Amino acid sequence: MELSENKILNCSGGFHRVARIFKMKKTTISILIFFILFIISCEKNDDPGSDGSELYKISGTVSEDGNYAIDLYALTDTLFEGYNRMFISLKNNDSGNPVSEAGIKLKPMMNMVGMKHAAPCEDPGETADEDGYFEGAVVFIMPSNPDEGWELGMDLSISGTETSAKIEIPGVVQPEEPVLVKFISAIDQKKYFVSCVQPANPEVGINDCEFTIHYKESMMSFPAAKDLGMEIEPEMPSMEHGSPNNVNPVHVSGGHYEGKLNFTMTGWWRVHMTFKKGDVLLSDDTYMDITF
Amino acid sequence: MYCFLMIPIWTLHFEMIKLNWTILLFCLPALLAAQQESFTIFDTVQLEEIRIATSVPINERTILDFHQSGNFSSIDRIAERLDGVMMIRRGAYAMDPQLHGFAAGQVNVSIDGMRMFGACTDRMDPVTSYLEPDNLRSLTIVHGTGGNAFGNTVGGSFNMMLKEPVLGKENIAFSAGTGYESVSNGSNSRASLEIGNEKWALRSSGTYRKHNSYRGGDGEIVPFSQFSKVNFHTSVKYAADENNIFRVDFLLDDAYDVGYTALPMDVGEAKARMYSLEYSRPFGEKIKNLKARVYYNSVFHLMDDSQRDSTFVLDGGIPGNTDTVYMRMDMPGWSNTMGFYLNGETDLGSRGKIYFKVDDYLNFSRADMTMYMNSVSNPGEPPMYAETWPEQYRNVAGVFGRYTLQIHKDWKLELNARIDHSVTRVISETAWRQFEIFGYDINRYYQELPVSINSSIKWRPWEGIGWEAGLGYSERLATNSEQFGFFLYNALDGYDYLGNPDIAMERSAEIWTKFRFSKPGFRASIDARYSHVKDYILGVTDPDIPPLNLYAAGLKTYQNIDYARIFGMGLQLQWMPVRPLSVYSITKYTHGRTFNEEALPLIPPLKNISILRYQVKNFSLQAEAEFSAAQNRISEPFGEIPTPGFSVYHMRASWMLSLTALQIELSTGIENIFNKAYSEHLDWGNYFRPGRNIYLNLNLLL
């Protein structure tokens, strides 16, 4: 009951708002104004990254030849199992100038107790963006633990010289709600990795959705799967209903599939996924949960 | 944050109002021209004012006595006995009035001409539920398109006139009463106070009702049929001089712990507040009966399912499966309305008269739903939230004019027209996104220009014989549920309903006639009307959209079907065979079908109420019988099942004892004497109506 009372105060309509404002004492109003200004000023202080998002520094190192300082940034303060956008900045140690042209080949590696394996990744373009970052991506296919950790190797090619670097990844966590699912193809027993890129901030209404699909060719090779058919079907498991007018993701480029995902209300949604190669079913028992 | 939200909202109001009036002024000449052209084609409906009062003087022998079963009849129970009125019932409280098959948004419900809207998405609080007979002076019902004096309507109007204090010689009056009803072990209490002199007058009244769940005719308790309410009304009148009168009204109505047998949820609280200021000028050289009023009312409605068992076994759940979902819902709703009206009369020629009215109201409504899950297999699930009535504003500005002309001593012509301009704007971003999913961009202004024109003719060829006939046309706005409702669960057919932002207005063309006959000791009237409703708004199943509520069977969207046809008939008889005996009988019949000959849902069968009354001096005895035919013309898509016919009988008696300074009014009666287990066709869920009820009321007048 108390909860509802609060709601009444907070959500009542325009008339109430006006009435309430007039009823408020001057001090209350000044506190309110101060609070509003505070919120506005906070919003303005946000430091925008390459696309307006804030970047967090993950780790840094120096290239093998000692000429370059390499820093790794991401959109979250901790990397997670799934598709992680990687922002790399390169700086010339002698001149102190940032490098804006470079060939970077990413080589993520998991050092397990008994073996090693790589992970799907996307190499950055040769030119840094206007903030000086080379943007690539890595799909971490398992979380790290105290005994088994990820490192990000890089082959660098800067103004004609070749060098390499290795960045220790401090930790890769398992998100509370997985954004990576794996399935074994029913036809050739290949292992596929499906990561959710979008929606990163799901909301009620139409959400652009983007998934990446990679498969395991060998322990060291995880190419993008570019010819799959993908179907999505959101459902609210506890309500036993779905949502209408979703658009199945289709391949755009480099293993990225884009579509539309509709949520009619907030809460726990489960997106059921079906994968096909041509008309042949690869898997239809995979799902990803999205709760907001 | 409040300030920032507020500014655009208020700018929006002014913009809307400005827009309204610009358009109306522009249209006015066209309207007047249209009125002249249609002079010979259209016709009007005559207002039938049926007076109700809580303390009808015992020796007044009018039809009115029959409408009231005791001092504590609710508005619902009084209205149920009026011509062409039936009540849609979802529980023991807050019945939804229906006029010859027209209900909800098709009917205009107003309080003294003021608009007010319930705040429940599922119509658990029709406006009539926020008033008590003690608040009212009269109840005016106009069937059909002619009910347009208070707003455009296809079904008619239901206007409740508030009781007002009386100016005059110094007086003070107090009355109080209490009553008991056995069927629900419930009590009703009331009190009123009137103080007045030539300048000032005040009237205050209060009502309190508390009823437990009642027993049906089968002796079983009908679950969730309890209710409690408090009502308070104060009206103050001040006469600056005899031609400048001011009046202030305040009304409070709080219902709480209201059960709804036929619905999956009850109501925790339903609160209404109403404020109004009126200025009236009865006399004037040119304009008479000038009245101006400003008002504001707010309704808050909170549904509650804490008493309900909401344990549902999931799909594939075999008996014994413990993976059940336990859900609680929080469903509040708000509806605030502010507005004004101005009306007056003027003579036009020696035999003509014009009544005009200008009005405007701005309604804000909003409702949402938060579901809290407690699933065994998924503990800690976050709540689910959706806006069921997107936060929205609707401003409606209108002008109404009625012209009456005594053509000849036997012939009278009446003509009226109304035009409104409405702007509806959804301001909630969440709602914009909710509707995006269905391909609608509702982030815009929705405008409509509903018009209505009526004409009628009255003929009184001989003393005691009267004939009237009329033609009318009217359009009505879609309600917020019909336009923007988001997955509103309807317990009648078990479907979720989705609003249709592009829904068109309903348009009704109507023809009616009425014949009256009277001679000393006998009165009879018969009336019939036929409405052809183009673009009738009805829920149509959409198999492509999954429902949202856990218990919903499917989803329906509101659509304009091609047309529907509704026919209604009424017969009233009053006969005084010998001096202390009088007989009153009312019969009502409605028939409705869609364009493809399917039955419309919620159409009542033939019903008759007959009353025999014996009255000597201060004692009266009344025997009543209610007959209803079976309804087998049902709408299966709306989950209806045939309702068998029934007959129930009641007995009532009342005494009035006059002492020098005190009057004592005692009334008692037995309702449903034979404890018949029955339900009417408009009762959702076919739960039994109350079984045998013995009541005893005592009222003191000082």
Side-chain angles (χ1 to χ4, degrees), chain A residues 72-84:
Chain A
L72 180 67
Y73 296 85
L75 293 168
T76 48
D77 57 357
T78 314
L79 300 179
F80 54 89
E81 186 197 48
Y83 185 91
N84 289 256

Side-chain angles (χ1 to χ4, degrees), chain A residues 90 101-105 124-127 134 155-159 163:
Chain A
L90 295 175
E101 294 284 332
I104 304 175
K105 194 173 162 24
E126 300 215 336
T127 311
F134 295 89
D155 288 343
L156 300 167
S157 148
I158 304 165
S159 8
T163 182

Side-chain angles (χ1 to χ4, degrees), chain B residues 50-56 64 67-68 74-75 78-79 82 132-134 136-139 163:
Chain B
I50 292 153
R51 202 173 62 95
I52 57 157
T54 42
S55 49
V56 179
L64 318 172
H67 293 300
Q68 223 186 353
S74 63
I75 290 178
I78 294 164
L82 302 180
E132 278 292 322
D134 233 350
L136 303 184
R137 174 163 52 100
S138 67
L139 193 62
K163 218 174 234 179

Side-chain angles (χ1 to χ4, degrees), chain A residues 1 3-22 24 29 32-33 35-37 39-40 43 203-207 234 236-246 261-270 289 291-292, chain B residues 1-6 9-10 13 268-269 296 298 300 302 313-315 325 327 330 332 334 336-338 362 364 366 368-373 375 378 381-386 391 393 430 433-434 436-439 486-487 544-550:
Chain A
M1 266 307 147
L3 187 100
S4 336
E5 287 290 339
N6 275 334
K7 276 195 119 168
I8 303 165
L9 297 183
N10 292 333
C11 312
S12 49
F15 305 135
H16 279 171
R17 272 178 207 136
V18 177
R20 296 192 66 75
I21 300 276
F22 283 119
M24 281 182 189
I29 293 181
L32 198 70
I33 290 169
F35 185 64
I36 291 162
L37 291 175
I39 290 173
I40 292 169
E43 279 167 4
E203 54 182 14
V204 169
I206 300 178
N207 291 265
M236 286 202 113
S238 49
M239 296 290 286
E240 297 175 19
H241 70 71
S243 72
N245 304 329
N246 295 282
L261 202 47
N262 296 335
F263 299 126
T264 44
M265 60 199 295
T266 67
W268 169 34
W269 287 86
R270 175 162 285 181
D289 285 349
T291 307
F292 64 100
Chain B
M1 286 308 258
Y2 273 9
C3 286
F4 279 82
L5 279 172
M6 199 183 77
I9 290 166
W10 281 93
H13 294 183
E269 50 181 333
Y296 169 71
S298 66
F300 171 68
L302 184 70
V313 177
L314 286 173
D315 254 1
V325 173
M327 187 179 68
D330 197 5
W334 296 264
N336 303 337
T337 311
M338 65 193 286
L362 174 65
F364 162 84
R366 176 208 153 114
D368 56 41
M369 167 169 81
T370 313
M371 290 185 267
Y372 301 91
M373 279 288 174
S375 169
N378 188 36
E381 189 182 332
M384 288 168 265
Y385 174 87
E391 200 166 356
Y393 285 89
T430 305
R433 288 196 300 268
Q434 283 179 174
E436 214 173 62
I437 296 173
F438 304 98
F486 195 71
F487 291 97
D544 295 334
I545 305 175
L548 195 135
N549 285 298
L550 204 48

Side-chain angles (χ1 to χ4, degrees), chain B residues 524-545:
Chain B
S525 87
I526 181 162
D527 63 87
R529 58 185 60 249
Y530 171 76
S531 306
H532 181 96
V533 189
K534 186 84 184 138
D535 292 329
Y536 190 87
I537 298 174
L538 203 64
V540 176
T541 309
D542 187 337
D544 295 334
I545 305 175

Side-chain angles (χ1 to χ4, degrees), chain B residues 395-408:
Chain B
N395 192 80
V396 181
V399 282
F400 171 78
R402 179 168 56 221
Y403 176 62
T404 8
L405 178 70
Q406 194 76 42
I407 307 172
H408 179 261

